[in-house]
Amino acid sequence: MFAESCFLFQIIYEVTVVTGDVQNAGTDTQIYLSVFGANGNTEEILLEKKADRFERGQEDTFNLEIDDIAPLKKIRVRIDGSGSRPDWFLDKIIMRNQVTEEVSVFTYEQWLSKTKGPKRTKICELAAVVDEEEMVEMTTYTIQVKTSDVGGAGTDANVFLILFGENGDTGTMALKTSGNTNKFERKQLDVFRFPDVLSLGELSKLRVWHDNKGPAPGWHLEFIDVKDEAMDETFRFPCDRWLAKNEDDGQIMRELACANHDFLDLTDKTKYEIATTTADATDAETKENVWIVLEGRKGRSKEFVMENSSKKKKFQRGATDTFEFSCKNLGDLASICMGHAPKDGKKVKTESFWHVQEVVVTEMELGNKFIFRCDAQIPLSSKKQDAVTFECTKAQESFASKVRSLVPVKYEIIVVTGDQKGAGTDANVSMTIYGSNGDSGKRALQQKFRNLFERGRTDRFLLEMLDLGELQRVRVEHDSTSSSCGWLLERVEVTNTANGVTTVFLCGKWLDTAKADGQIQRVLYPKY
């Protein structure tokens, strides 16, 4: 598993939202933005309606601070249809990276509305255009769903899925119309087409679920095939499990890993590429050798000498030099140790330095990159104690690496209700768990024949999902149904039963519309 040994920096984007210059283009509705990049995506962000923002023919500019997920790939814009003017004509959105000055343009020129325009939708996805190049291409997804050949396998429920891949996710796709009048019957293959959507590139997983409606909602799913027509490639997602409250583990949502990707044996030697950048400054370069030792979570490499010569000059001012060497797989890199040594091994007579700006180490089997921003002078010395150690500044996990870690894991979830008068709730409680590999989706915390979330009680749940990696936060919420729905949540504990790691999330707050801040959802972060 790729550990988050390095964190994503926050980047400020200057965002310009252009409302179209057509009649009634302005809006009072709530506008939400999700941003997708090569290195992850944001959660949905509310673009607040301040003063006269989002009015006809207007450009509204503000700053947005998000994780450094650049380069940007696409955005998703959603309105909730609230307000006295629920419709909005969006012309385009422009995002300027304040660090790199890269400008991404997202053009729509359509209504977001259930009653206006040809699309009649409240949500859209827009590809980034950078220097007139579109970062994501359009495609048609053909989705084949095979219901299993077992007794009672068919379902009358409504089925939904989300695809995940290199370019983020598709958002929720309702499987409404197939060639069969009665969908999802035993041993049946149903085909659904979704034209004119942004391609996700290589797919990693999908999330499929149903709404448990109808006289026979339980469903046994054999597999789902997804064809990206633009790529002319089909991705298979085996299931062979029930999505049923009265079968198997009682879950009606499954996450399925893509079966296309080859297994890589990383127990043997791994090739590493090391790219060093010498500072663009006076006296930064050196004519001598440089050596490096890689320190990973699985071990430490031997010393590797990056040789300089008069014929093949390395470490010149402002230059980037690339070297390769092989050693045992070290896992995620945490640090590097670098020395600057004379070529002939002689004693150093005069003080001399090599000014290294940055080192990027790429693990070649999977393509994971580890970036070390050094900006330091390393003294010329034969003594090992004069070497300099640098911590990893940023890690970029490759898509292939992420896919490898997507294996099913059972998570034990412990929910502790507070011990105060009225602390318990009869409302329906759900939870979303977020990790370095993505999120779990919204999961209902339910058990048969038990009165859950009572005062002072501890409730345990076991949910299977694809490995989430290092847990980052959880969102706990209830639906505020029932007369006694207020709830005092003490804490949540989530244990990955595969590796035994438990993450504790403290709360100690009410989820109650009539108490404290009136919130019925809480986002909780790990206690360290």
Side-chain angles (χ1 to χ4, degrees):
M1 186 194 304
F2 189 89
E4 292 293 313
S5 54
C6 317
F7 58 87
L8 287 174
F9 287 93
Q10 294 279 298
I11 295 290
I12 295 175
Y13 281 85
E14 180 189 79
V15 180
T16 300
V17 179
V18 183
T19 299
D21 189 10
V22 300
Q23 189 174 5
N24 300 321
T27 188
D28 296 323
T29 196
Q30 300 272 56
I31 301 170
Y32 298 90
L33 173 69
S34 305
V35 186
F36 297 82
N39 294 299
N41 58 274
T42 69
E43 285 193 70
E44 211 172 46
I45 303 163
L46 173 64
L47 303 184
E48 292 185 60
K49 170 76 174 174
K50 291 183 178 178
D52 60 349
R53 274 185 185 174
F54 316 128
E55 294 299 329
R56 173 178 175 173
Q58 197 163 281
E59 294 187 7
D60 299 294
T61 300
F62 46 89
N63 286 341
L64 202 62
E65 188 174 32
I66 63 173
D67 286 341
D68 184 10
I69 58 174
L72 302 188
K73 295 279 194 175
K74 68 177 183 180
I75 60 172
R76 182 177 299 143
V77 184
R78 180 179 73 85
I79 63 170
D80 68 357
S82 62
S84 58
R85 296 180 298 157
D87 310 310
W88 183 38
F89 193 100
L90 170 61
D91 185 11
K92 61 186 171 185
I93 293 178
I94 304 164
M95 297 184 67
R96 181 188 297 273
N97 186 315
Q98 298 286 62
V99 175
T100 65
E101 293 296 320
E102 183 172 87
V103 176
S104 303
V105 181
F106 307 87
T107 304
Y108 189 49
E109 298 176 339
Q110 288 284 353
W111 286 98
L112 283 169
S113 168
K114 277 294 187 182
T115 58
K116 294 181 179 179
K119 297 193 175 183
R120 304 293 168 103
T121 180
K122 295 192 291 185
I123 191 167
C124 66
E125 284 198 350
L126 309 174
V129 176
V130 180
D131 295 330
E132 299 185 354
E133 181 185 353
E134 205 162 57
M135 304 304 288
V136 182
E137 67 176 346
M138 299 294 288
T139 191
T140 293
Y141 280 116
T142 301
I143 299 175
Q144 298 188 86
V145 180
K146 180 66 183 293
T147 299
S148 303
D149 185 15
V150 300
T155 184
D156 299 316
N158 298 303
V159 177
F160 308 86
L161 61 78
I162 301 174
L163 303 177
F164 297 82
E166 288 178 289
N167 300 328
D169 65 72
T170 57
T172 300
M173 308 169 84
L175 302 184
K176 288 182 178 178
T177 307
S178 82
N180 301 307
T181 306
N182 200 3
K183 304 186 296 290
F184 312 121
E185 291 300 300
R186 176 176 175 174
K187 204 179 176 181
Q188 185 169 287
L189 188 71
D190 291 285
V191 182
F192 305 85
R193 292 184 80 255
F194 292 87
D196 302 323
V197 294
L198 293 178
S199 172
L200 297 175
E202 292 284 327
L203 299 186
S204 56
K205 69 174 184 178
L206 68 74
R207 181 179 298 148
V208 59
W209 71 97
H210 63 72
D211 59 6
N212 206 46
K213 291 184 178 178
W219 183 36
H220 198 287
L221 170 63
E222 186 174 335
F223 66 81
I224 296 177
D225 280 348
V226 180
K227 183 176 183 182
D228 184 320
E229 301 288 353
M231 293 174 64
D232 193 25
E233 187 169 354
T234 299
F235 302 87
R236 170 151 292 198
F237 300 88
C239 182
D240 198 25
R241 296 282 296 273
W242 283 100
L243 288 80
K245 290 200 170 184
N246 59 350
E247 299 280 358
D248 203 333
D249 59 1
Q251 293 192 53
I252 59 172
M253 175 184 285
R254 298 282 175 204
E255 285 200 334
L256 311 178
C258 182
N260 292 38
H261 304 284
D262 295 330
F263 175 76
L264 286 173
D265 184 3
L266 299 180
T267 56
D268 296 331
K269 280 194 171 184
T270 297
K271 186 180 288 184
Y272 289 93
E273 179 189 86
I274 300 166
T276 64
T277 301
T278 301
D280 189 7
T282 306
D283 298 328
E285 62 190 49
T286 182
K287 295 179 181 178
E288 306 298 337
N289 290 340
V290 173
W291 58 265
I292 188 170
V293 174
L294 309 182
E295 186 83 47
R297 298 191 180 275
K298 292 182 180 177
R300 182 183 175 95
S301 76
K302 293 180 180 178
E303 184 180 301
F304 171 65
V305 178
M306 296 179 281
E307 293 184 345
N308 210 341
S309 69
S310 55
K311 290 184 178 180
K312 293 183 179 180
K313 292 183 178 180
K314 305 290 186 182
F315 315 120
Q316 299 283 294
R317 174 177 175 172
T320 297
D321 300 294
T322 303
F323 307 86
E324 286 187 359
F325 85 110
S326 296
C327 71
K328 65 179 181 180
N329 187 276
L330 303 171
D332 303 339
L333 298 187
S335 63
I336 55 174
C337 181
M338 298 187 77
H340 178 202
K343 287 187 286 189
D344 52 14
K346 292 180 181 178
K347 288 185 178 180
V348 178
K349 295 180 180 179
T350 57
E351 190 176 56
S352 179
F353 296 89
W354 171 53
H355 190 165
V356 56
Q357 190 67 41
E358 183 180 79
V359 176
V360 179
V361 182
T362 304
E363 189 270 291
M364 300 299 284
E365 295 293 335
L366 290 172
N368 292 326
K369 288 183 184 292
F370 301 89
I371 299 168
F372 301 84
R373 296 193 177 115
C374 310
D375 194 16
Q377 292 184 324
I378 301 179
L380 182 65
S381 173
S382 301
K383 299 176 182 177
K384 299 298 182 188
Q385 60 263 36
D386 289 331
V388 182
T389 298
F390 303 99
E391 300 295 320
C392 179
T393 311
K394 181 180 179 181
Q396 294 178 348
E397 184 177 13
S398 71
F399 183 74
S401 175
K402 289 177 182 175
V403 169
R404 278 188 76 248
S405 62
L406 294 177
V407 294
V409 169
K410 285 187 171 67
Y411 286 89
E412 183 188 51
I413 299 167
I414 294 176
V415 180
V416 181
T417 298
D419 191 9
Q420 289 185 28
K421 184 179 179 181
T425 184
D426 294 325
N428 297 305
V429 174
S430 58
M431 179 183 296
T432 307
I433 307 171
Y434 297 84
S436 55
N437 289 344
D439 67 79
S440 65
K442 187 174 174 180
R443 303 290 182 120
L445 299 182
Q446 297 174 330
Q447 285 181 2
K448 283 184 179 178
F449 314 121
R450 279 203 66 206
N451 198 6
L452 300 170
F453 313 118
E454 293 299 299
R455 173 179 173 175
R457 182 180 288 179
T458 297
D459 296 296
R460 286 177 169 81
F461 307 88
L462 199 63
L463 295 179
E464 183 180 274
M465 53 196 79
L466 295 180
D467 195 338
L468 294 168
E470 184 178 352
L471 301 189
Q472 298 167 340
R473 63 188 181 279
V474 297
R475 175 184 281 119
V476 187
E477 56 194 293
H478 66 70
D479 60 4
S480 203
T481 55
S482 82
S483 56
S484 53
C485 58
W487 183 35
L488 178 60
L489 172 61
E490 188 63 36
R491 71 178 185 274
V492 173
E493 299 177 11
V494 181
T495 300
N496 179 326
T497 62
N499 60 20
V501 174
T502 298
T503 309
V504 178
F505 303 87
L506 299 180
C507 182
K509 292 182 179 179
W510 287 92
L511 286 79
D512 191 337
T513 55
K515 285 194 171 102
D517 59 3
Q519 296 293 311
I520 59 171
Q521 70 166 31
R522 298 285 176 193
V523 177
L524 312 177
Y525 294 89
K527 174 195 172 187
Y528 290 117

